[in-house]
Structures are given as C-alpha cells and as structure tokens.
Amino acid sequence: MSKTINVGIVGMGKMGIMHAGLLNALENVQVRAVADTQDLILNFIGQQFPAIQTYKDYADMLTNEQLDLVFITTPTSFHTKIGLDCIKAGTPFFVEKPLGISAKDCVPLIEAVSSKPVINMIGYSKRYVDTFRKAKEIIENGSLGELTYFNATMYVSQLFSKGKGWRYKKEASGGGVLNTLATHLVDLLLWYFGHVTSVEGNTKSYYSKDVEDFVHAYIQFENGLEGYLDTSWSVRNYRLPEIKIEVHGEKGMLTVTEEYVKYYSDDTARWTTLFKQDLYTGVEFDLGGPEYTLEDEHIIDCVRNNKHTDVSIFEGYKVQRVIDAIYRSAEERRAIPGDSI
Ligand SMILES: NC(=O)c1ccc[n+]([C@@H]2O[C@H](COP(=O)([O-])OP(=O)(O)OC[C@H]3O[C@@H](n4cnc5c(N)ncnc54)[C@H](O)[C@@H]3O)[C@@H](O)[C@H]2O)c1
C-alpha cells in the first residue's frame, strides 16, 4: 500500500474547499490541517471535521504539522510569500493561478526554488481539459501546416456594477479580468505556441475603479505566428467563463473551446468535430470538472514518486511576464518587445 500523503491547505474559500474535497477522495491522501484568517471558517471546520487541525496563521501550520504537501488557495497577493515559506520549510506546494500580482512579485519565489528546489505546481487547470489537450496534439502534429494567425477570447458575464471583494482590488489581485481570469488563456497560448516576441495591449475599466474590465492584445510568437487575445468579464450572454481559440495554418484551421475541438486539414479535406464527451476517459471523483481531479492526482503522484510536475511555477512566471507586458504596453501606449518581457 502506498504511503499516505498529508496535505495542508492555506485559504479555505471556494478553491480551498474544492481541493480539500477532491484530495480527501483520492486514495491515501488526507487533508491534515488548514489555515485561514477567518474565524468563521476555522470554527466551522473545527466542529464538522475534528480530525483536521485548524490554524489562523499558516506559519504555525508549517511549523507544527508534518506535511508532505501544501495547497495555496488564498487571494493572489499572498501566493508568493506563502510559497517562499513552503520552500524554507522544504515542503512541496501547489499554488492556484496566477502565480502573483506581478512578475516582480514572483522573482524571489523563482530565485528561491531555483536554489532550493522543492516539488511545485501551479493551477493552470485548463491544460487538463480534454479538448484543450487534443488541440495541442493537432497543433503539434503539423496537420494545419505552418501556423499563420490566431484569435483567442475569454468572456464571462460577471461584472455589471462596482465589484466587491479582493478580485477588484489591484493590490490583492494584481489586475482585473486579465490577471484574475484570462491568465488561463495566456497560459494556453504559451503552451501551444511557445515564446512571445512582442505584445501590444489596450485595457479599459468601465465598472471597476481599480482594475481593468476589458483587454485587447496583439501577440507575436517566435515561430512567426501572430494574433489577438480579447477578454472581458463585463459582456452579456456568457453565464460561465468561455474560452475560444481559433488557429489558422497554411493547410487548415482549428477551433477549440471547453466543449469541442473542430478542425479541418487539406490533407484529409474533411472537417472533424470532437465533443468533450467523445474525449472523456473518466475520473474517479468529479468536483468542479475532471480537470481539477486530474491536476490534483498529478501533484500527488509527483510528491509520492519524487518527480517534477508538468506545470511548474516557472510556467506561471512566464505567464506573469506576458501579462505584465500587456499592462505595460497599455500604460505606455507602445509595443513591448520580447527582450523586455
Ligand atoms: N484554477 C481555477 O480555475 C481557479 C478558479 C477560481 C479561483 N482560482 C484562484 O484561487 C485562489 C483563491 O480564489 P477563491 O475563489 O477560492 O477565493 P476566496 O475569496 O473564495 O477564498 C480565499 C480564502 O483565503 C482566505 N485568506 C485570505 N488571506 C489569507 C491568509 N493570509 N492566510 C490564510 N487564508 C487567507 C480567505 O479568508 C478566504 O477564505 C485565487 O488565487 C484565484 O485566482 C483559481
């Protein structure tokens, strides 16, 4: 029988609770302790789950508990400091996306993990969605030929008056719809297309005072591909966040969403559509979408077998630098070249 992996969670809000539920459902994984700054949450967990130790200060949890893994699911501004403390304690960690509130905020964490490596992962969960994985396979197998153009969007109907909570405060979230939500979209683009050589961005705040509600960006990649990213949380008709990426090549095209991947290639002269149910292979336990189970299973497997994860915080740092460059471009009203991203 494999060793039990003892997990601690910092931040028991929406994502902390979801990961706690998932982790406890995995074989030989136990959430041993949680930390949150709110007494209400700690009292509830203490009463309902007496086997779980509760802490108001996560530093005490790191000192007192023998943890194999820590999940960081706090508002974004705390991610890098908690990650640094995990590295100091020599404890592997999983941090929710985005890595930090800016690239500068992430530097000490990246330096620390480079000099004292611990297993780490960032929650870019879209990489575990079957349709997005299939799209990567098609892009990489060459059936679209040389890539010529992309158009990538992420929309949700979320904000139509002044927002309440940490997401709408720049010092807590690092930014609006781009750093908080469409960070997933930037990650997918970097995962598909590689290194960015130039970005030009525009942001607009309409409902929010402190962060942006709309972002339009033009992105060029080292492989010659260029195209647009467009995102907003203040558009109607998107009950749930919706990503759509369209990629054109000299021999075909592909459209991918969470629901389907549809592609055409001159080689076969045929359109193919694969829906998510065609690609679904099943997970033991689903809470919030199979992608979250798959990412949690992955980090547990890496901790158990002392392996690097597929989505390390270095990937998160790359995303953060591109997001910073889009914000900088919007502010300075100029294109930002690759060597300053
Ligand atoms: N991967 C995804 O699809 C996805 C989806 C939603 C949110 N997220 C990310 O997950 C993180 C958490 O988001 P959420 O929606 O769960 O937020 P939330 O506001 O629901 O929960 C945050 C929790 O952290 C606690 N907290 C705040 N400061 C703390 C501290 N210093 N120490 C301990 N606890 C602290 C709060 O009391 C709260 O309970 C964010 O970084 C967000 O970007 C990822």
Side-chain angles (χ1 to χ4, degrees), residues 11 35-40 42 55-57 78:
D36 200 290
T37 44
Q38 293 190 59
D39 289 327
L40 187 74
L42 295 179
Y55 291 89
K56 193 146 182 173
D57 185 342
F78 302 103

Side-chain angles (χ1 to χ4, degrees), residues 3 22 57 67 88 107 127 134 143 152 155 170-171 173 177 185 190 207 217 240 269 296 320 322 325 332-333:
K3 169 186 178 298
L22 278 177
D57 185 342
L67 299 172
K88 277 186 204 144
V107 169
R127 294 195 188 197
K134 185 70 189 174
S143 55
Y155 299 123
K170 195 168 177 8
E171 60 173 27
S173 62
V177 65
L185 182 55
L190 301 192
Y207 299 101
L240 295 172
D296 285 8
Q320 209 71 53
V322 170
E332 298 174 10
R333 296 186 160 273

Side-chain angles (χ1 to χ4, degrees), residues 10-16 35-38 41 56 58 73-76 78-79 82 96-98 123 125-126 166-167 180 184 292 295:
V10 189
M12 283 301 280
K14 186 180 120 199
M15 294 310 282
D36 200 290
T37 44
Q38 293 190 59
I41 291 171
K56 193 146 182 173
Y58 73 88
T73 47
T74 60
T76 306
F78 302 103
H79 288 181
I82 302 169
E96 261 305 344
K97 49 54 53 177
S125 48
K126 302 297 177 202
W166 63 266
R167 284 181 167 74
T180 301
H184 279 300
Y292 295 110
E295 71 176 358

